[in-house]
Amino acid sequence: MAQTAKRDYNLLGPSSEAAIASGLAAAEWYHTEVDRKQMKALMQRSDGPAIRDTVIWLGSMLVLAAGGIYFWGSWWAVPFFLGYGVLYGSASDSRWHECGHGTAFKTRWMNNVVYQIACFMIMRNPVTWRWSHARHHTDTVIVGRDPEIAVMRPPDLFRVILNFFGILDAGCAMLDMVRNAAGVVTPEEKSFIPEMEHAKVIRVARIWLAIYLATLALSLWMGSILPLMLIGLPRLYGAWHHVLTGLLQHGGLADNVTDHRLNSRSVLMNPVSRFIYWNMNYHVEHHMFPMIPYHALPQLHELIKHDLPTPNKSIIDGYREMVPAFLRQLRNEDYFLKRELPATAKPYREELHSGVAAE
Amino acid sequence: MAQWIEACGAGDVDEEDVIRFDHGGRVYAIYRSPEDRYFATDGLCTHEQISLADGLVMDDIIECPKHNGRFNYQTGEAKGAPVCVNLRTYPVKVEDGAVFIEV
């Protein structure tokens, strides 16, 4: 049956009510069967890989920032800030994500410290986004339920392009921060953040606002945007990589389904992008088994790939598939890319997807 | 009235692991700690009712497989977002190679 009703992404709107009424919300999701011992081995936590990667990440930022400051005023500063920006405005996206799951490090306080730092860089309130991401995993790309749908239908491609430079994202994040700092938590936020956490949302927003105001004051005092180039602005000029990779996660694929093989995309990527992205290119695998640490996702991929769609061969390959789908969705928002499963894969649970139009 | 129910064999639960036990319309989780002690809690996460038996036991923590919510499985205490509500725990005894829980 074709889906004809216009999508309403409001978390408090009729699509949300319909998803709850139909059982789509908080439904049971498809999982590939994996032997418990193998799964347990993959789930094991380790501090080593994340400490190594965090030292490289923050150490590189320090070196690049020092270079940028040293060469400030000359064109030689540009490559330093380009590198610094990506590590600040893009690598922070995967760091808040992994540490939010609590899987990056074995030691909990290490997860929490990196989570707070990365959330600040990517301008995502650590309390709000912990809860919104829990909802994203419960109701992945369920219209009216998932607060983290990057590209809605029909797609707003102008907004998508602007966000490669963080222009709308960061602007909205700053407004949210000021609003939260003023003590206001919206009804939409309240729909997924428990009341006992609201005070934390407000406290974090006030601390961040103080940091940004101090940075702004320092810039004004120095008569230079250099402090802002180091704190705040990298969220704009370094955002492109996290948008580049993040759009591939679910872009152009099915919505309102309960099988991550249908609504998520795995993409084989170059090692640099995989470092920045912390292996979230294995996105079907991550959604199916969020317990698996980022460093074990390649092993998980090898273990279950017989049951998953063939991953895209590269970022470019993913965009060759996704962009035409976005363009078709401009004319027909019900269009989506239907993933092909290997012959050995278990079939979709079609009875759960009867309300979705396929092509 | 509370009663002791045989939940599983002592060897059914691997060391530092968890299994699911269904009884009387309820789901329980049976744990074996690294120190070879047995514990029992409600088997569904208090956040969104996911079976904890698919989760990961780390020391005295059970981590939910869906949202990585954590509980101390010995006390049932919720250890941070996204879980806020504690798990109910149950007395456990091991007799003749079987694990009994009092429900």
Side-chain angles (χ1 to χ4, degrees), chain A residues 1 24-25 35 51 83 89 95 101 113 147 153 166 171 177 183 209 228 230 241 265 289-290 297 328:
Chain A
M1 185 176 70
L24 259 180
D35 173 74
I51 288 175
R95 270 66 182 173
H101 278 285
V113 167
R153 299 195 212 167
M177 178 184 69
L209 185 59
L228 289 167
L230 295 167
H241 190 278
R265 178 188 280 108
F289 298 109
L297 283 176
R328 284 191 66 167

Side-chain angles (χ1 to χ4, degrees), chain A residues 63-137:
Chain A
V63 170
L64 291 165
I69 293 167
Y70 183 77
F71 290 111
W72 183 244
S74 81
W75 285 104
W76 286 107
V78 172
F80 288 95
F81 278 109
L82 288 178
Y84 178 83
V86 169
L87 294 178
Y88 184 116
S90 286
S92 57
D93 180 49
S94 51
R95 270 66 182 173
W96 83 260
H97 174 263
E98 275 298 290
C99 294
H101 278 285
T103 51
F105 298 87
K106 182 176 183 180
T107 306
R108 197 164 188 199
W109 69 261
M110 294 184 187
N111 277 313
N112 288 335
V113 167
V114 174
Y115 182 68
Q116 294 292 332
I117 293 170
C119 279
F120 176 78
M121 291 178 180
I122 199 73
M123 297 182 179
R124 291 177 179 167
N125 188 300
V127 183
T128 305
W129 281 78
R130 191 182 291 279
W131 288 97
S132 79
H133 199 63
R135 174 70 73 82
H136 171 64
H137 272 268

